[in-house]
Amino acid sequence: MRSKMFSKEKKQESPDAFREKNTFGTTMTWMTETLHRHSLFLLLPPLLYSCYIDQQVTRVAWLNRSNILYAGNDKWSIDLRVQLLQYSPSEFSIMISHVDVYDEGLYTCSFQTQDKPHTSQVYLIVHVPARIVNISSAVTVNEGSNVNLLCLAVGKPEPTVIWRQLKDGFTSEGEYLEISEINREQAGEYECITANGVSTQDSKHVLITVNYPPIITDVKDSRPLIGKTALLRCEAMAVPAAEFQWFKDDKHRLISGSDGLQIQNERTRSILLFTNVTTRHYGNYTCLASNSLGSYNEFQHAFTQGGETSVCM
């Protein structure tokens, strides 16, 4: 009598098979109390287990843990995914379709011969690709605040989780990323990456926006020659973007289109354009940049006679 059990996912026999003589003097080979570990990745074709027997086997059954799946032709399992593929004098095979993590465990082919019962076993390990199931939403904070990000991942084996700042490559391992007293340089996209070696890694992004008051970064001007075109330009960085205003002699707010002046405001800069410089344009000009944080910086431009321009803070 010859009896063995294997999974077609492995396609190999165990070295634990042995031979012994029965009372009739014939040679028989079977697997007795043999245990294999079989790793399976999800989304694979159906899993097939076969137990090879012969005519001396009187009864045979497939069990998952202690639950009988099939006893001969009789199905005991209520799981529709479990099917009997073949029951013949030489083979007893079952198939499990749509394998998931709950199918993991010990599978036993139990068979009875005339002399005693025997078992052959395989342990199914189901590997689940790592994936992110929960991640923090986009965050907007004021500079100096504390920021906490969460990235929750699942998989089998247990996946690793790494946070990475895309701008400068900073990394931190673990589901939680804590940033104390965040500054404007730490703003930007952060990527959560999870992997467990089963399949390709999974990743998601979180955007951190850091609000800060305006700071004027550059001031440019051209010489104010009578009858010529001249301009003053001031650039400021801020989040939210700064709003610009121009003042003359610290009291008169300038309006675009009046007195031969044009004001062109963009996201990070403002240009005060003099289309035709006259003596009435001489004076001190102030650029004021402000946002919702209520702070501002200002630079003063002095238009003077003789075609000279001075700039001071």
Side-chain angles (χ1 to χ4, degrees), residues 155-166:
K156 203 164 183 269
E158 184 176 352
T160 60
V161 176
I162 295 177
W163 281 99
R164 181 169 69 96
Q165 185 184 19
L166 297 184

Side-chain angles (χ1 to χ4, degrees), residues 98-112:
H98 306 295
V99 176
D100 63 33
V101 68
Y102 301 105
D103 295 314
E104 181 167 304
L106 184 65
Y107 288 79
T108 303
C109 176
S110 177
F111 55 94
Q112 175 74 45

